Amino acid sequence: MTKLIAVLPGDGIGQEIVAEAVKVLEVLKSDFGLDIEMENGLVGGTAYDATGTPLPDETMELCKRSDSILLGAVGGYKWESLDIAVRPEKGLLGLRAGLDLFANLRPAILYPQLASASTLNAEVVSGLDLMIVRELTGGIYFGQPRGVRTLENGEREGYNTLVYKESEVSRIAKVAFDIAMKRDKRVCSVDKANVLECTEMWREVMIEEAKGHPEIELSHMYVDNAAMQLVRAPKQFDVMVTTNMFGDILSDCAAMLTGSIGMLPSASLDANGKGMYEPIHGSAPDIAGQNIANPLATILSVSMMLRYSLDQSEMADKIDAAVNTVLDDGKRTADIYTDGDIKVSTSEMGDAVVAALKA
Ligand code: NAD
């Protein structure tokens, strides 16, 4: 059955990088029989300019009836002084909440060709391929009560609540186990069970849920140790699953292991595997409109979409292989360029991936 992909380029370089990812999808459709249709929608500052809101009803309606969503990025200087309720970022948060995208997948992959881009020793990170699964709609970022109150002595006290229901933990566990089944079948659950009762329960639910996945090797790690291990020996991990806040911090740390923000895709999934796919970087207003942004994170987001939402692993493998070929050929956008490489523009990089796909 034909799958519908909502294409939301958004703002800044979002327009340029999504155009390259769409080229890749078009080739998979025309040359390899991928059965998809694409429909464009507005989000972010571009949507605000056209309609007065960063998330128009038509965009939400399009995303709800789509099988998958490809997003560029939102935000930019132009909209920074707007009221917070209509800032571009609200469009993104509205999509995540409105579509109940509770599972955030953040791979950290370091292509051996780019090992020198990392701040870590090449042999520690070369060939790194790890997936962080972060719970995205619960935990301390959403828990009630929250706020700042004034005590009787006049001193202010700030407070937030870390709260997870068993069902929230088991559904993120299932996502992590399912992903691990498509990888090396190892899941490390990261918690702080020695101090926080909530994550003690998190660990119990993980163990319970693992009983339904006997092929998976489940381990547990306290978050402080996990942070240390990520920079000491990151290749020991296959899939890490963790809470919203721990995942927020660890996934940025893991991203930086690779040294190149323009290379990393991400996915946010709902309970049925429908997902929104986007690069981890923002709209880069400092380089927007110059045809120099790296489109590979967005192209690799398409690969994740094919693998995790559209059940087209072979097509995803084709994209991954094409990206590898282009890097092997020494083609680099400015952000990953070093002396001796072939410098290419955004559109030339997209063309090179398309050519590698067709070869
Ligand atoms: P950013 O990720 O946009 O840019 C950080 C730096 O990385 C910049 O120097 C930029 O030029 C560079 N960079 C980013 N992507 C690149 C690419 N593909 N190729 C080459 N270089 C790249 O982060 P920022 O500057 O903090 O934020 C800019 C805007 O993006 C803000 O409005 C912010 O709110 C928004 N933002 C949006 C998202 C999103 O849409 N998911 C995420 C983060 C930031």
Side-chain angles (χ1 to χ4, degrees), residues 282-318:
S283 58
D286 54 332
I287 58 167
Q290 297 176 38
N291 196 25
I292 58 171
N294 186 346
L296 291 179
T298 317
I299 290 171
L300 291 167
S301 298
V302 170
S303 163
M304 283 189 83
M305 176 191 289
L306 293 165
R307 203 178 296 284
Y308 295 114
S309 284
L310 302 185
D311 207 16
Q312 295 280 355
S313 297
E314 283 178 20
M315 299 271 183
D317 290 344
K318 284 186 200 304

Coordinates of all heavy atoms in Angstrom, one line a residue, residues 282-318:
G282 N 19.8 22.3 14.4 CA 18.8 23.2 14.2 C 18.8 23.8 12.8 O 19.3 23.2 11.8
S283 N 18.2 25.0 12.7 CA 18.0 25.6 11.4 C 19.2 26.4 10.9 O 19.2 27.0 9.8 CB 16.8 26.6 11.4 OG 17.0 27.5 12.4
A284 N 20.3 26.5 11.7 CA 21.6 27.1 11.3 C 21.4 28.4 10.6 O 21.9 28.5 9.4 CB 22.4 26.1 10.5
P285 N 20.8 29.4 11.1 CA 20.5 30.7 10.4 C 21.8 31.3 9.9 O 21.8 32.1 8.9 CB 19.8 31.6 11.4 CG 19.9 30.9 12.7 CD 20.2 29.5 12.5
D286 N 22.9 31.0 10.6 CA 24.2 31.6 10.2 C 24.7 31.2 8.8 O 25.5 31.9 8.2 CB 25.3 31.3 11.3 CG 25.5 29.9 11.6 OD1 24.5 29.1 11.4 OD2 26.6 29.5 12.0
I287 N 24.2 30.0 8.4 CA 24.7 29.6 7.0 C 23.5 29.3 6.1 O 23.7 28.8 5.0 CB 25.5 28.3 7.1 CG1 24.7 27.2 7.8 CG2 26.8 28.5 7.8 CD1 25.4 25.8 7.6
A288 N 22.3 29.7 6.5 CA 21.1 29.4 5.7 C 21.2 30.2 4.3 O 21.7 31.3 4.3 CB 19.8 29.9 6.4
G289 N 20.7 29.6 3.3 CA 20.6 30.2 2.0 C 21.9 30.2 1.2 O 22.0 30.8 0.1
Q290 N 23.0 29.6 1.8 CA 24.3 29.7 1.1 C 24.6 28.4 0.4 O 25.7 28.2 -0.2 CB 25.4 30.0 2.1 CG 25.2 31.3 2.8 CD 26.2 31.5 3.9 OE1 27.4 31.1 3.8 NE2 25.8 32.1 5.0
N291 N 23.8 27.4 0.4 CA 24.0 26.1 -0.2 C 25.3 25.4 0.3 O 26.1 24.8 -0.5 CB 24.1 26.3 -1.8 CG 24.0 24.9 -2.5 OD1 23.4 24.0 -2.0 ND2 24.5 24.9 -3.7
I292 N 25.6 25.6 1.6 CA 26.8 25.0 2.2 C 26.5 24.0 3.3 O 27.4 23.3 3.8 CB 27.9 26.0 2.7 CG1 27.3 26.9 3.7 CG2 28.4 26.8 1.5 CD1 28.3 27.8 4.4
A293 N 25.2 23.9 3.8 CA 24.9 23.0 4.9 C 25.1 21.6 4.5 O 24.9 21.2 3.3 CB 23.5 23.3 5.3
N294 N 25.3 20.8 5.5 CA 25.5 19.3 5.2 C 24.1 18.7 5.2 O 23.4 18.7 6.3 CB 26.3 18.8 6.4 CG 26.7 17.3 6.2 OD1 26.1 16.6 5.3 ND2 27.7 16.8 6.9
P295 N 23.7 18.1 4.1 CA 22.4 17.4 4.1 C 22.4 16.0 4.6 O 21.3 15.3 4.6 CB 22.0 17.5 2.6 CG 23.3 17.3 1.9 CD 24.4 18.0 2.8
L296 N 23.5 15.4 5.0 CA 23.6 14.0 5.3 C 22.8 13.6 6.5 O 22.2 12.5 6.5 CB 25.1 13.5 5.4 CG 25.9 13.6 4.1 CD1 27.3 13.1 4.4 CD2 25.2 12.7 3.0
A297 N 22.7 14.4 7.5 CA 21.9 14.1 8.7 C 20.4 13.9 8.3 O 19.7 13.0 8.8 CB 22.0 15.2 9.8
T298 N 20.0 14.7 7.3 CA 18.6 14.6 6.9 C 18.4 13.4 6.0 O 17.4 12.7 6.1 CB 18.2 15.9 6.2 OG1 18.7 17.0 6.9 CG2 16.7 16.1 6.0
I299 N 19.4 13.2 5.1 CA 19.3 12.0 4.3 C 19.3 10.7 5.1 O 18.6 9.8 4.9 CB 20.4 12.0 3.2 CG1 20.2 13.2 2.2 CG2 20.6 10.7 2.5 CD1 21.3 13.5 1.3
L300 N 20.1 10.7 6.2 CA 20.2 9.6 7.1 C 18.9 9.5 7.9 O 18.5 8.4 8.4 CB 21.4 9.6 8.0 CG 22.8 9.4 7.2 CD1 24.0 9.8 8.0 CD2 22.9 8.0 6.7
S301 N 18.2 10.6 8.1 CA 16.9 10.5 8.8 C 15.9 9.8 7.9 O 15.0 9.1 8.4 CB 16.4 12.0 9.1 OG 17.2 12.6 9.9
V302 N 16.0 9.9 6.6 CA 15.2 9.2 5.7 C 15.5 7.7 5.8 O 14.6 6.8 5.8 CB 15.4 9.6 4.2 CG1 14.7 8.7 3.2 CG2 14.9 11.1 4.0
S303 N 16.8 7.4 5.9 CA 17.1 6.0 6.1 C 16.5 5.4 7.4 O 15.9 4.3 7.4 CB 18.7 5.9 6.2 OG 19.0 4.6 6.8
M304 N 16.5 6.2 8.5 CA 15.9 5.7 9.7 C 14.4 5.6 9.5 O 13.8 4.6 10.0 CB 16.1 6.8 10.8 CG 17.4 6.7 11.5 SD 17.5 7.8 13.0 CE 16.9 6.7 14.2
M305 N 13.8 6.5 8.8 CA 12.3 6.4 8.5 C 12.0 5.1 7.8 O 11.0 4.4 8.2 CB 11.9 7.6 7.6 CG 10.4 7.5 7.2 SD 10.1 8.7 5.9 CE 10.2 10.3 6.8
L306 N 12.8 4.7 6.8 CA 12.6 3.5 6.1 C 12.7 2.3 7.0 O 12.0 1.3 6.9 CB 13.5 3.4 4.9 CG 13.3 4.5 3.8 CD1 14.5 4.5 2.8 CD2 12.0 4.2 3.0
R307 N 13.7 2.3 7.9 CA 14.0 1.2 8.7 C 12.9 1.0 9.8 O 12.5 0.0 10.1 CB 15.4 1.4 9.3 CG 16.0 0.1 9.8 CD 17.4 0.4 10.4 NE 18.4 0.9 9.4 CZ 19.0 0.1 8.5 NH1 18.7 -1.1 8.4 NH2 19.9 0.7 7.6
Y308 N 12.6 2.2 10.5 CA 11.8 2.1 11.7 C 10.3 2.3 11.5 O 9.5 1.9 12.4 CB 12.4 3.0 12.8 CG 13.7 2.6 13.2 CD1 14.8 3.4 13.0 CD2 13.9 1.3 13.8 CE1 16.1 3.0 13.3 CE2 15.2 0.9 14.2 CZ 16.3 1.7 13.9 OH 17.6 1.3 14.3
S309 N 9.9 3.0 10.5 CA 8.4 3.2 10.3 C 7.9 2.6 9.1 O 6.7 2.2 9.1 CB 8.1 4.7 10.2 OG 8.2 5.3 11.5
L310 N 8.7 2.4 8.0 CA 8.1 2.0 6.8 C 8.5 0.5 6.4 O 8.1 0.0 5.4 CB 8.5 2.9 5.6 CG 8.0 4.4 5.8 CD1 8.4 5.2 4.6 CD2 6.6 4.5 6.1
D311 N 9.2 -0.1 7.4 CA 9.6 -1.5 7.2 C 10.3 -1.8 5.9 O 9.9 -2.7 5.1 CB 8.3 -2.4 7.3 CG 8.6 -3.8 7.8 OD1 9.7 -4.0 8.3 OD2 7.8 -4.7 7.6
Q312 N 11.2 -0.9 5.5 CA 11.9 -1.0 4.2 C 13.4 -1.0 4.5 O 14.2 -0.2 4.1 CB 11.6 0.2 3.3 CG 10.2 0.2 2.9 CD 9.9 -0.7 1.7 OE1 10.8 -1.3 1.2 NE2 8.7 -0.8 1.3
S313 N 13.9 -2.0 5.3 CA 15.3 -2.0 5.8 C 16.3 -2.1 4.6 O 17.3 -1.5 4.6 CB 15.6 -3.3 6.6 OG 14.8 -3.2 7.8
E314 N 15.8 -2.8 3.5 CA 16.8 -2.9 2.4 C 17.0 -1.5 1.7 O 18.1 -1.2 1.3 CB 16.2 -3.9 1.3 CG 16.5 -5.3 1.7 CD 15.9 -6.3 0.8 OE1 15.7 -5.9 -0.4 OE2 15.7 -7.4 1.2
M315 N 15.9 -0.7 1.6 CA 16.1 0.6 1.1 C 17.0 1.5 2.0 O 17.8 2.3 1.5 CB 14.7 1.3 0.9 CG 13.8 0.6 0.0 SD 13.9 1.1 -1.7 CE 12.6 0.1 -2.4
A316 N 16.8 1.3 3.3 CA 17.6 2.0 4.3 C 19.0 1.6 4.1 O 19.9 2.5 4.1 CB 17.1 1.7 5.7
D317 N 19.3 0.3 3.9 CA 20.7 -0.1 3.7 C 21.3 0.5 2.5 O 22.5 0.9 2.5 CB 20.7 -1.6 3.5 CG 20.4 -2.4 4.8 OD1 20.5 -1.8 5.9 OD2 20.1 -3.6 4.8
K318 N 20.5 0.7 1.4 CA 21.0 1.3 0.2 C 21.4 2.8 0.5 O 22.5 3.2 0.0 CB 19.9 1.4 -0.9 CG 19.6 0.1 -1.6 CD 18.6 0.3 -2.7 CE 17.9 -1.0 -3.1 NZ 18.8 -2.0 -3.5

